[in-house]
Amino acid sequence: MESNNIGVLMTCPMNSHLEQELEKRFKLLRLWTVRDRSKFLAAHRNSIHADVGNCSVCANAELIEALPKLEIVASFSVGFDKIDLAKSKEKGIGVTHTPDVLTDDVADMAIGLILMVLRKFCESDRFVRSGKWKKGTFMLTTKFTGKRVGIIGLGRVGMAVAKRVEAFSCPIGYYSRTEKPEIKYKYYSSVVKLAANSDILVVICPLTEETRHIINREVIDALGPKGVLINIGRGLHVDEPELVSALVEGRLGGAGLDVFEHEPEVPEELFGLDNVVLLPHVGSGTVETRRDMADLVIANLEVHFLKRPLLTPVV
Amino acid sequence: MAVESQSHPSQNHLPYVLILNKPPPAFLIFGDHFYNSPKFHFLKAYESPLPLPQFLLAHAQSVRAILSSGSAPVTADTIRLLPHLRLVVTTSQGLNHIDLAECRRRGIAVAGAGNIYSPDCADSVVGLLIDVLRKISAANCFVKQGLWPSQGDYPLGFKLGGKRVGIVGLGSIGSEVAKRLEAFGCSISYNSRNKKPLVPYPFYPNVVELAANCDVLVISCALTDETHHLINKEVLSALGKDGVIVNIARGSIIDEKELVRCLVEGEIRGAGLDVFEHEPDVPVELFALDNVVMSPHNAVFTRESLEELRKIVVGNLEAFFANEPLLTPVCLDDQPHFSG
């Protein structure tokens, strides 16, 4: 099968370097550019052999069913919550993601968010730009060094966050599905207990049925009016309405959020809060890393069509 | 009963500590009781209608100690008017506002903030750096203005991991910066007055060479005659168009006009600045740039650091009046000069 005839479906715009490279090698079909998606998929059902998606749109059951020739789903993300893994397995479809290449950037962003919330750089930058510095002093902020950090999920990114946090002399606790005896950090058997013993709680576990709304009212209350929540996982990890009311009512000390339940919609009640930092899902958003992610997607597709083992299959 | 006035010692003979013509920042934040102690009183020149020299003349006999902060310099002229002055305690990290040579000549001890500010200053460097590279403040504004749904993805930032960081001044703050940035996968090199034999990082004998070999330049040295405008056109040019500079030390260490020109013309990638040459005035050209993050000289102003500072200031003054050793004495033999 000649490469240029292999149809690759791209679900949404995600990276122009990736698009260009896909176009060079395959017959690229851009799902977001068509008005009638079902008609489009029906028309191309026999030529689409690969699907490239991301954390917004990837491969749900409906899409998989619509593409009988689909052989591989390559996600431009490390998370795979937008892929129906059971259906993929049933159909013998390979699934790949982009672990490791984005670990550092996402971990850096977690620390960035902690510092932004505690030390209020966003607000102080606005303070200077508005000319207010000439008339008064900025408010006091809160020290980061030495604060207790709790990490939910001690996978690649969780460990990278822990390594950075250690350099700030912060005691570290964690919650994970199972305790990791080789890890020196303190294990807590419940998220509520972890929250009660943390000043800063970082969410960085995979999104599954069990971890949906893992941050609920009880956890938020345990974290408390001086506690800070950092979410660099998925919006659905957090019961968003509960989080919003806790922040608005001052029952939670602050939050740094890179993800939301209904991106790009973000609860407007948070816009006016100076103890909340909001980012448009940019955890892996650097020139270098997005390029590495794109190259990994391309490499996985290439080895698949050469009938070689996938480089970074979802396990 | 005689009315107690500031010109005579109080009835219980508590000594006086002089505060010059500006209150310390902590007074503005917490109130003027912040450094209170049962062991001494404060003489507040800033509350007097008298010009400073006259105030000093009026109280010359009672003053053995001064509590200074960066905004109220302790000049040779001030020192000469206070023949009994034996101690200057400063609330700031920097010492450039004190005539250290005059203190040394007269055997006046100086006590500083010690290392209490180092973690917060280092945290500020990391925060400013991540903010500049990853555009966090700008992206936060973008979301809070409701632009994400309509304008789509935010422009990409730049990776911190693997960047070569050059630290100018590897003292307590510089060392804390190095420790933190190493955990992010950065490599560290430095320039300092002297090479430090026990330090594992590569040393560069001059700042131009350091800048030419790094992607991020961190300024954490003292302001002295030698370091005034140390970061000049040549250094910024060596740093180059992918380079970022972070300054939490003193504004005048950088040639600010040249820095602004480089930023406006894209000759360096960005800057994180807590200090400026003429605070609180900031060059307006910077306001239009989204590759610059600014803070109002508040790298040390956390609740926790100010509480530490309170203990050190009160502790130093109480120790002095009890003829006990100072908590955080500054060694004057070693200090470079700053003529201001």
Side-chain angles (χ1 to χ4, degrees):
Chain A
M1 184 182 341
E2 268 206 25
S3 291
N4 288 346
N5 288 333
I6 300 178
V8 172
L9 180 74
M10 197 171 185
T11 59
C12 47
M14 51 190 86
N15 183 273
S16 48
H17 168 68
L18 178 58
E19 257 182 76
Q20 279 162 28
E21 293 302 308
L22 285 171
E23 193 125 59
K24 276 188 212 162
R25 293 164 173 74
F26 306 105
K27 181 172 137 201
L28 181 62
L29 300 157
R30 297 172 174 82
L31 185 61
W32 71 92
T33 60
V34 301
R35 235 179 301 163
D36 189 335
R37 295 189 173 202
S38 318
K39 206 166 159 186
F40 180 81
L41 292 175
H44 294 279
R45 65 198 305 272
N46 287 322
S47 61
I48 293 176
H49 297 274
D51 171 58
V52 173
N54 66 358
C55 49
S56 304
V57 184
C58 201
N60 59 11
E62 198 191 328
L63 183 73
I64 294 171
E65 284 295 353
L67 301 173
K69 298 287 172 79
L70 188 63
E71 299 168 27
I72 175 169
V73 171
S75 189
F76 184 73
S77 71
V78 66
F80 38 84
D81 42 283
K82 290 283 162 73
I83 302 172
D84 191 324
L85 291 178
K87 183 120 296 209
S88 303
K89 192 167 177 192
E90 182 197 310
K91 305 259 179 186
I93 296 169
V95 180
T96 68
H97 62 155
T98 58
D100 298 321
V101 290
L102 48 58
T103 298
D104 285 338
D105 274 353
V106 179
D108 292 352
M109 187 52 91
I111 309 303
L113 281 169
I114 293 172
L115 285 165
M116 296 304 122
V117 175
L118 264 60
R119 300 294 304 275
K120 298 197 186 315
F121 288 101
C122 307
E123 298 300 316
S124 63
D125 180 70
R126 281 224 293 241
F127 182 80
V128 174
R129 283 171 198 263
S130 67
K132 288 191 182 137
W133 191 13
K134 296 196 210 195
K135 298 174 198 146
T137 42
F138 191 68
M139 65 186 110
L140 280 187
T141 60
T142 307
K143 187 172 184 157
F144 172 31
T145 288
K147 290 289 183 331
R148 301 167 302 167
V149 175
I151 304 176
I152 301 174
L154 217 54
R156 295 175 193 90
V157 182
M159 286 299 289
V161 171
K163 178 176 170 207
R164 285 150 177 73
V165 159
E166 274 198 87
F168 293 81
S169 307
C170 297
I172 298 170
Y174 74 100
Y175 167 81
S176 203
R177 272 175 304 174
T178 53
E179 185 172 2
K180 297 171 195 253
E182 72 279 13
I183 298 291
K184 55 187 165 170
Y185 313 129
K186 188 171 158 86
Y187 174 72
Y188 288 87
S189 53
S190 80
V191 181
V192 173
K193 280 198 198 136
L194 179 65
N197 288 282
S198 301
D199 302 305
I200 299 159
L201 193 61
V202 181
V203 184
I204 186 52
C205 53
L207 180 65
T208 63
E209 273 309 305
E210 289 87 40
T211 63
R212 186 181 187 282
H213 285 196
I214 197 172
I215 305 298
N216 55 20
R217 169 83 190 229
E218 211 191 339
V219 171
I220 292 170
D221 285 345
L223 195 47
K226 292 211 172 113
V228 171
L229 178 73
I230 303 293
N231 190 4
I232 46 157
R234 286 286 179 266
L236 277 170
H237 277 128
V238 175
D239 181 340
E240 203 160 88
E242 277 296 344
L243 175 67
V244 172
S245 62
L247 287 165
V248 166
E249 292 164 25
R251 290 183 283 110
L252 182 63
L257 310 170
D258 187 39
V259 287
F260 304 88
E261 287 210 54
H262 307 288
E263 294 168 23
E265 302 297 330
V266 174
E268 284 186 22
E269 301 93 311
L270 300 179
F271 289 3
L273 301 179
D274 69 19
N275 56 340
V276 176
V277 176
L278 306 171
L279 293 178
H281 203 152
V282 287
S284 63
T286 65
V287 167
E288 297 94 329
T289 290
R290 289 288 167 87
R291 195 181 181 100
D292 289 344
M293 287 164 66
D295 289 346
L296 188 50
V297 167
I298 299 284
N300 272 301
L301 291 174
E302 284 186 327
V303 297
H304 167 78
F305 290 113
L306 288 171
K307 301 200 189 322
R308 295 208 205 118
L310 298 173
L311 299 173
T312 49
V314 166
V315 279
Chain B
M1 183 147 95
V3 170
E4 190 179 312
S5 79
Q6 281 201 341
S7 18
H8 301 286
S10 61
Q11 287 189 327
N12 55 2
H13 301 295
L14 278 189
Y16 280 107
V17 177
L18 172 67
I19 299 178
L20 293 167
N21 49 336
K22 288 250 169 71
F27 279 15
L28 302 174
I29 299 166
F30 292 105
D32 66 2
H33 53 275
F34 190 67
Y35 297 118
N36 276 6
S37 159
K39 309 273 173 64
F40 53 82
H41 284 325
F42 283 112
L43 260 179
K44 297 167 187 163
Y46 63 90
E47 282 184 342
S48 167
L50 291 175
L52 185 63
Q54 266 142 282
F55 185 91
L56 295 178
L57 279 169
H59 297 282
Q61 301 311 313
S62 346
V63 172
R64 292 170 57 211
I66 285 178
L67 175 62
S68 167
S69 50
S71 53
V74 183
T75 62
D77 288 339
T78 296
I79 293 170
R80 281 177 206 136
L81 289 173
L82 301 169
H84 303 292
L85 182 66
R86 299 257 64 75
L87 171 68
V88 175
V89 174
T90 181
T91 62
S92 62
Q93 176 72 51
L95 303 170
N96 50 290
H97 60 292
I98 301 171
D99 193 324
L100 299 173
E102 191 68 20
C103 289
R104 185 159 182 261
R105 265 194 288 279
R106 290 170 180 265
I108 296 168
V110 177
N115 291 335
I116 62 167
Y117 293 142
S118 300
D120 275 338
C121 283
D123 291 358
S124 271
V125 168
V126 178
L128 286 167
L129 180 56
I130 297 182
D131 197 341
V132 172
L133 285 175
R134 301 295 301 271
K135 306 182 194 295
I136 302 186
S137 286
N140 176 55
C141 275
F142 173 79
V143 174
K144 287 187 174 180
Q145 287 171 332
L147 297 174
W148 191 11
S150 52
Q151 292 198 14
D153 285 341
Y154 197 73
L156 298 177
F158 298 97
K159 190 175 169 127
L160 171 58
K163 290 284 186 290
R164 301 164 301 165
V165 175
I167 301 180
V168 180
L170 201 68
S172 175
I173 296 173
S175 303
E176 294 285 333
V177 170
K179 179 175 120 185
R180 283 154 177 71
L181 289 179
E182 277 195 295
F184 289 79
C186 295
S187 57
I188 310 288
S189 51
Y190 74 103
N191 166 264
S192 218
R193 267 180 303 157
N194 305 301
K195 185 171 177 185
K196 296 176 192 259
L198 298 174
V199 154
Y201 316 125
F203 170 77
Y204 285 90
N206 67 71
V207 183
V208 175
E209 231 183 294
L210 179 70
N213 286 282
C214 67
D215 309 300
V216 177
L217 203 60
V218 174
I219 313 303
S220 53
C221 58
L223 175 62
T224 66
D225 287 340
E226 286 92 40
T227 64
H228 181 262
H229 282 199
L230 175 69
I231 310 304
N232 56 17
K233 186 183 172 102
E234 204 189 348
V235 173
L236 292 170
S237 179
L239 183 60
K241 66 173 183 47
D242 293 335
V244 173
I245 189 161
V246 179
N247 188 6
I248 49 96
R250 285 288 179 269
S252 313
I253 295 171
I254 301 182
D255 177 345
E256 198 164 87
K257 274 206 179 70
E258 187 55 35
L259 174 66
V260 171
R261 192 195 64 76
C262 285
L263 285 164
V264 166
E265 292 176 22
E267 285 177 24
I268 62 171
R269 176 172 277 169
L273 307 168
D274 185 50
V275 286
F276 304 85
E277 286 212 65
H278 307 289
E279 296 165 16
D281 288 323
V282 172
V284 294
E285 299 93 317
L286 298 181
F287 295 168
L289 302 176
D290 68 359
N291 57 339
V292 179
V293 177
M294 296 174 277
S295 51
H297 199 156
N298 69 338
V300 310
F301 287 123
T302 64
R303 279 177 206 290
E304 292 87 343
S305 272
L306 287 194
E307 182 48 38
E308 284 295 308
L309 178 66
R310 194 188 62 74
K311 290 182 195 156
I312 290 211
V313 165
V314 174
N316 273 309
L317 290 168
E318 288 183 351
F320 170 72
F321 290 122
N323 290 318
E324 281 161 16
L326 295 172
L327 304 182
T328 51
V330 172
C331 175
L332 294 179
D333 293 335
D334 190 35
Q335 292 298 324
H337 188 54
F338 179 60
S339 38

